Amino acid sequence: MYNFPDSTHTISMKTLFIKLSKFITCGAFGWCLECFWTGLHSIQKRTDKRFLCQTSVWMFPIYSMAAFIEPIGKLMKGKSFLFRGSIYTICIYTMEFFTGTLLKKHHACPWDYSAAKTNIKGVIRLDFAPLWFLTGLAYERLLGIK
């Protein structure tokens, strides 16, 4: 057990390990999704037959934050997949906007959607809603929320 210095809260090493492993799993899963997505995008260009993918180290902690949807997912047990997916989409957009704006302020944002018609401040694309909907449901399964 670990006792936090300024409170009466304790956390077991097992609980800490489980939370850390979910954080790492979500980050790795997100990285894989991004590599797959950007690789597919390179197929569309057809100028380079290597179909290279692209990501950033910044994306790992951003995708890892999906581990924090677990309590939200548990609250939504029994709700329709349309409702759950919509809530996950809103959560993803919120985090994407927050992290994108913060990174952009420091000239470190690895994505720029400014050229997209449905962009908001260059950090989110509304036309990605179906992708974020499915991604949220995929994270739900990954985290064992059902």
Side-chain angles (χ1 to χ4, degrees):
M1 298 289 217
Y2 178 78
N3 291 316
F4 291 93
D6 58 350
S7 73
T8 58
H9 295 359
T10 60
I11 188 169
S12 71
M13 289 305 288
K14 181 180 176 183
T15 302
L16 189 60
F17 177 76
I18 290 169
K19 290 186 181 300
L20 183 61
S21 66
K22 287 181 180 184
F23 191 79
I24 291 168
T25 300
C26 286
F29 181 71
W31 255 353
C32 290
L33 283 176
E34 182 158 331
C35 283
F36 181 74
W37 180 253
T38 59
L40 283 178
H41 185 68
S42 72
I43 289 172
Q44 183 183 16
K45 292 179 185 176
R46 295 185 184 172
T47 55
D48 188 346
K49 294 184 182 186
R50 295 175 295 165
F51 305 129
L52 299 175
C53 65
Q54 178 180 333
T55 191
S56 163
V57 173
W58 285 117
M59 297 312 295
F60 185 82
I62 292 170
Y63 286 121
S64 293
M65 285 189 273
F68 298 123
I69 69 164
E70 189 172 21
I72 296 166
K74 287 180 179 179
L75 287 172
M76 295 190 297
K77 273 191 175 183
K79 303 287 185 197
S80 74
F81 81 96
L82 288 172
F83 179 78
R84 295 187 331 269
S86 297
I87 297 299
Y88 296 140
T89 302
I90 291 167
C91 290
I92 291 168
Y93 272 137
T94 301
M95 291 313 299
E96 184 178 35
F97 185 80
F98 172 74
T99 57
T101 302
L102 181 67
L103 289 170
K104 206 172 186 181
K105 190 181 285 189
H106 297 284
H107 308 288
C109 190
W111 69 93
D112 181 8
Y113 298 142
S114 297
K117 291 179 185 176
T118 61
N119 88 84
I120 296 178
K121 296 195 177 192
V123 293
I124 62 172
R125 285 183 60 166
L126 297 177
D127 59 323
F128 280 1
L131 295 170
W132 293 140
F133 181 94
L134 294 172
T135 301
L137 293 173
Y139 273 112
E140 178 182 71
R141 292 188 69 75
L142 183 71
L143 292 167
I145 307 166
K146 286 201 264 182

